[in-house]
Amino acid sequence: MKTLLRTPWYYGWNIVVAGMATQAVTLGIILYSFTFWIAHWTEDFDVSRTEVMTVFLAVQVGSALFSPIAGRALDKFPARYLILFGAVSLASGLALAAFATSFWQIIVIYSLLTVVGMVWAGVMPAATLVARWFDRRRGMAMGICTIGTSLGGFFLPPLVTYLQQEYGWRDANQMLAVLALVIISIAALIVFDSPESAGVAHEGKSDGDQKANQVQNSRQWTTQDALKSKIFWAIALSFLCLSFSTNAVMQNLAPLGEDAGMAPTTLSWYVSTLALVMIFAKLGIGYLADRIDYRILLGMTLTLVASSIAILAVFGISEITLLSAVIALGVGMGGLLPMLGVIVANIFGLASFGRMQGLLILVMLPGSLGPVMAASIYDSTGSYQLAWIILLVLLAPAVLFIRGIRKTVTPVGTV
């Protein structure tokens, strides 16, 4: 197949841009802006913060359950059609939520339609495509592609809060549905599954490295192989500890700031600052991922996330402390997505990339309990202080798990 659009640069960079766009919309709306629906839903449906956080939990559970299915689909079917399917699902979920009359309807809609949109049009297809298109500069390409999530986090929260204040959250949802459908559909049109399917030469290393990569990438990892692998569990548990803590802090930022008297528009810029910091972190970590041991980079990420939580626990909430915590959290979170993609591609190869990525996301499911745990402690005690202490304790085992991630690949059948 020949490309529909010829460019003077390597066509893989078009894939990177498409992945940035789809991730910006899906995660910008569902993940980064979720916190700004909390006040509206608690008021409209007369529910507590903990109950609202069950929506986020339902999204994460649904994402984990759908991810292995989506991963296997990405290994077998054209990514373009899966992304378009995700776009329609996400837009439908946002639009239908605008007509909800009971809170249980919000839970059902978000745990099904929006979840499918996030999985099929978000991080998984973007990471899978970039891994196929890049080899020599995989870490850098993965880092640049994941900037899309941060761009969504930078631009979407101010847009969401503006639309909610001007038109109400229901009309805002319908406008966001149209935005998501248009942008993701356009991005899907320029997607090709691989250099071979697009009729262009592959970006790669030397001939010797290419042959070695072909052997590694042709290996098929089954679910049973993965569950028997110590490396798989080291990766999964490391990212589980980190995702539990980062989710807990990020999804409680708006309620945390509102308790300190900050306006929603002001808090939206804190979330945008978080996303902006993550952009630079992803570029830097993506660059270093091609050159430095994974364990060192993950150790740096762990230290920064722990520092962010410690700032909140020790110094309380003020404009300065919240900004400091956001910056530390942003740098730490910036490394998670590009590192996960690079680690999966380099350790497990490309033939099973979708399957392994989806399985890891499923195993990391308990990380979605972080926001619920923090909100529940707040509802019970009137403070997040105990939640911060628990998060710091839970981060400690991650040091041991990170040490278990090796750069060598265990052959299938001996894991």
Side-chain angles (χ1 to χ4, degrees):
M1 178 186 295
K2 300 297 182 182
T3 58
L4 299 177
L5 175 63
R6 293 222 176 258
T7 57
W9 53 83
Y10 178 54
Y11 196 85
W13 295 114
N14 295 348
I15 305 299
V16 169
V17 172
M20 290 174 65
T22 58
Q23 291 179 101
V25 174
T26 54
L27 272 74
I29 293 175
I30 299 176
L31 181 61
Y32 286 93
S33 300
F34 178 84
T35 188
F36 298 106
W37 270 276
I38 294 176
H40 298 287
W41 288 346
T42 54
E43 181 179 351
D44 274 21
F45 300 109
D46 191 25
V47 293
S48 67
R49 290 183 185 179
T50 302
E51 290 175 289
V52 172
M53 284 302 176
T54 60
V55 177
F56 181 81
L57 176 60
V59 168
Q60 296 292 346
V61 170
S63 175
L65 294 177
F66 279 122
S67 289
I69 300 173
R72 298 188 69 173
L74 284 165
D75 289 336
K76 295 181 179 181
F77 304 108
R80 174 180 298 173
Y81 301 123
L82 297 176
I83 294 171
L84 287 172
F85 174 65
V88 173
S89 180
L90 174 59
S92 299
L94 290 170
L96 286 175
F99 298 97
T101 57
S102 299
F103 191 65
W104 68 265
Q105 296 169 0
I106 296 289
I107 297 175
V108 172
I109 291 169
Y110 269 72
S111 61
L112 294 177
L113 292 174
T114 56
V115 162
V116 170
M118 184 171 68
V119 172
W120 262 269
V123 173
M124 287 192 66
T128 301
L129 289 168
V130 170
R132 291 173 183 167
W133 276 84
F134 288 87
D135 188 355
R136 178 169 52 87
R137 294 172 291 182
R138 180 176 291 153
M140 175 61 73
M142 198 73 74
I144 294 174
C145 185
T146 57
I147 285 176
T149 65
S150 301
L151 290 175
F154 182 79
F155 290 108
L156 266 299
L159 175 62
V160 168
T161 54
Y162 169 78
L163 293 176
Q164 289 176 340
Q165 289 182 350
E166 291 294 318
Y167 304 100
W169 74 268
R170 296 179 185 273
D171 287 344
N173 264 45
Q174 296 184 54
M175 297 175 190
L176 292 169
V178 175
L179 177 71
L181 182 61
V182 171
I183 293 180
I184 297 175
S185 297
I186 292 174
L189 294 178
I190 67 172
V191 163
F192 290 91
D193 282 351
S194 65
E196 293 77 16
S197 66
V200 299
H202 195 283
E203 183 264 11
K205 301 181 180 180
S206 65
D207 291 340
D209 289 334
Q210 288 279 25
K211 292 178 181 179
N213 289 336
Q214 289 174 2
V215 173
Q216 174 181 331
N217 292 333
S218 65
R219 291 173 176 160
Q220 293 283 348
W221 285 75
T222 65
T223 300
Q224 185 177 12
D225 291 332
L227 297 179
K228 291 180 179 179
S229 170
K230 293 181 179 179
I231 298 179
F232 174 87
W233 285 106
I235 296 169
L237 294 175
S238 298
F239 280 87
L240 171 59
C241 293
L242 288 165
S243 65
F244 187 96
S245 299
T246 54
N247 284 334
V249 177
M250 191 174 78
Q251 296 306 328
N252 282 279
L253 276 180
L256 186 67
E258 288 171 1
D259 290 342
M262 300 181 186
T265 51
T266 301
L267 290 168
S268 71
W269 288 108
Y270 277 92
V271 177
S272 293
T273 300
L274 173 71
L276 183 63
V277 171
M278 289 176 67
I279 290 175
F280 294 101
K282 287 174 179 177
L283 284 174
I285 292 176
Y287 173 82
L288 293 174
D290 293 325
R291 296 163 174 81
I292 296 179
D293 192 307
Y294 310 136
R295 291 169 293 187
I296 296 176
L297 294 177
L298 283 176
M300 293 168 53
T301 296
L302 174 64
T303 301
L304 287 163
V305 172
S307 298
S308 173
I309 298 171
I311 290 172
L312 297 175
V314 175
F315 299 104
I317 303 301
S318 67
E319 292 185 357
I320 294 178
T321 57
L322 188 58
L323 179 61
S324 300
V326 162
I327 291 174
L329 183 66
V331 178
M333 287 180 64
L336 295 182
L337 279 181
M339 283 301 301
L340 181 60
V342 171
I343 289 173
V344 172
N346 288 1
I347 290 181
F348 299 112
L350 301 183
S352 304
F353 184 91
R355 179 197 297 267
M356 299 304 293
Q357 185 179 217
L359 189 58
L360 280 167
I361 293 174
L362 176 60
V363 175
M364 290 159 53
L365 173 60
S368 60
L369 293 172
V372 179
M373 181 275 293
S376 178
I377 289 176
Y378 174 86
D379 287 339
S380 300
T381 66
S383 169
Y384 285 102
Q385 191 66 19
L386 178 59
W388 305 148
I389 295 173
I390 292 174
L391 292 177
L392 289 172
V393 171
L394 291 177
L395 282 174
V399 177
L400 298 177
F401 300 139
I402 289 173
R403 292 186 62 184
I405 303 176
R406 303 190 303 275
K407 298 191 72 171
T408 56
V409 181
T410 304
V412 175
T414 61
V415 290

